[in-house]
Amino acid sequence: MTRQAPAIILGIETSCDETAAAIVMRDQFGNSTIRSNVVRSQLDEHAAFGGVVPELAARAHVTFLDRIIAQACREAGVRLDEVDAIAATAGPGLIGGVLVGLTTAKALAAALDKPLIAVNHLEAHALTARLTDGVQFPYLMLLVSGGHSQFVLVRGVGDYERWGTTIDDALGEAFDKVAKMLSLGNPGGPAVEQIAKSGDPKRFKFPRPLLREARLDFSFSGLKTAVRLQAEALAPLSNQDVADIAASFQAAVAEIVAVRAGQALARFKSELPGAEPRLVVAGGVAANQIIGSALAKAATEAGAALIVPPIALCTDNGAMVAWAGAERFALGAGDGLDFAARPRWPLDLPDMRIVPDAA
Ligand code: KG4
Ligand code: ZN
């Protein structure tokens, strides 16, 4: 049973270190309106530890989620009893945090007698370009975040095929680790990008792992090690050394990502000859402008459109969860209150397909 009427969806995101809630509307034609999108980052809680501490993350979600939801409703001018469904990230992610968001969503769904939509966080990233740009299916998605680096063919809601992934670190994770080696702040990606602006990207020729192989996978650990060895060889590092290492690292990853994107688009064009080639970028690393311009060049060379949603919607947020919930809701999806949180949840499992709600 599809539900093609306009719907107001509350979205809750707690899978990592952002406590987020949003109210998004979807009309019967599939158009979206973000009524509110409140994100509270936990950077301060984790700053002293140089990375996200799962236990602290879960506690902060418990402390703040109620207030963030209330603020999202207030800013949207929508009462909780006016929402049509409640969507929450049910995985993949840090299990303590996911449990906080999902349990809160279940409690609201039970108390308000509204449908629950358990959202796969990766699907939320994958569908964001439809929220922001109304992109039509099918398209190729490059998800580059702190936890994932993958190419996914997006055929429809719940219908994904993973074409490549990282065999070791995620790209955002590599940025974060390089930032740590260079004693830059947290989160690492923006810090590396900033300091790289005054660096020479050609000073060091860092390796481009796997690039000679004809597969759509990534590997960043060898590159990371090369950066560490270079930093150790030059220690103590001058400001210019730090900037040059950051710029050279960034040049290496931009080239890797762009070459792979070209290969993935070639596959898209040969496997889906009738479809307009489109590359959608998602995840926090999409904020990186050097990677963005390398991808733009690769897309142009492949005759493909490149879609990069606004950065605030590429990094973790509640609007993308609400939107994924809205798309699933419109197709009749609904999940039981016994839906279990999942620390791991690949996108291309058959259970991502919509099971229409009996209600
Ligand atoms: O999607 P996201 O907000 O969270 C998840 O991992 O789901 O992505 C965060 C990641 C972090 O590793 C951060 O360092 C990276 O995205 N990032 C960047 C930039 N902004 C954020 N990496 C490179 N350049 C940036 N400007
Ligand atoms: Zn994410």
Side-chain angles (χ1 to χ4, degrees), residues 4-60:
Q4 288 306 335
I8 303 176
I9 310 291
L10 167 66
I12 296 173
E13 160 59 37
T14 54
S15 66
C16 191
D17 59 344
E18 266 92 24
T19 311
I23 300 279
V24 170
M25 282 182 65
R26 181 188 185 281
D27 72 14
Q28 63 271 43
F29 309 109
N31 300 311
S32 65
T33 312
I34 299 176
R35 296 280 295 267
S36 64
N37 189 25
V38 183
V39 181
R40 181 189 179 276
S41 163
Q42 301 178 356
L43 270 183
D44 292 347
E45 277 91 339
H46 305 289
F49 305 96
V52 177
V53 184
E55 175 65 20
L56 293 182
R59 283 168 189 258

Side-chain angles (χ1 to χ4, degrees), residues 29-243:
F29 309 109
N31 300 311
S32 65
T33 312
I34 299 176
R35 296 280 295 267
S36 64
N37 189 25
V38 183
V39 181
R40 181 189 179 276
S41 163
Q42 301 178 356
L43 270 183
D44 292 347
E45 277 91 339
H46 305 289
F49 305 96
V52 177
V53 184
E55 175 65 20
L56 293 182
R59 283 168 189 258
H61 290 309
V62 170
T63 305
F64 293 103
L65 183 57
D66 288 5
R67 276 175 257 176
I68 298 293
I69 292 172
Q71 188 181 342
C73 289
R74 203 166 51 242
E75 289 182 12
V78 167
R79 290 194 318 270
L80 267 180
D81 62 331
E82 290 173 323
V83 306
D84 294 291
I86 293 155
T89 295
L94 300 175
I95 193 68
V98 174
L99 274 169
V100 174
L102 183 60
T103 308
T104 303
K106 288 176 180 175
L108 289 172
L112 299 163
D113 195 21
K114 306 280 182 186
L116 169 76
I117 316 274
V119 170
N120 179 314
H121 181 88
L122 304 179
E123 175 164 68
H125 278 302
L127 298 177
T128 299
R130 290 170 54 77
L131 164 69
T132 58
D133 296 81
V135 176
Q136 300 294 308
F137 297 123
Y139 52 86
L140 176 69
M141 175 188 59
L142 169 63
L143 172 61
V144 273
S145 70
H148 301 273
S149 305
Q150 35 185 263
F151 284 109
V152 175
L153 171 64
V154 181
R155 283 203 213 87
V157 178
D159 189 357
Y160 307 95
E161 194 176 298
R162 198 171 69 186
W163 282 1
T165 187
T166 178
I167 59 173
D168 39 56
D169 292 350
L171 183 50
E173 189 182 356
F175 266 95
D176 294 335
K177 287 181 179 165
V178 165
K180 215 168 175 178
M181 289 171 205
L182 300 177
S183 304
L184 301 170
N186 230 344
V192 169
E193 179 168 23
Q194 184 55 34
I195 193 119
K197 286 185 182 151
S198 50
D200 174 6
K202 296 208 172 78
R203 177 162 165 207
F204 306 106
K205 181 78 182 159
F206 290 129
R208 273 82 168 140
L210 287 191
L211 212 50
R212 283 167 205 276
E213 291 183 38
R215 55 196 270 197
L216 294 177
D217 294 322
F218 294 106
S219 165
F220 295 110
S221 79
L223 169 60
K224 190 184 65 190
T225 304
V227 170
R228 183 172 53 74
L229 294 176
Q230 187 59 254
E232 285 171 5
L234 289 174
L237 298 174
S238 68
N239 287 345
Q240 194 58 52
D241 291 335
V242 170

Side-chain angles (χ1 to χ4, degrees), residues 346-359:
L347 253 191
D348 50 356
L349 290 182
D351 78 350
M352 285 300 300
R353 300 290 174 92
I354 308 280
V355 182
D357 186 9

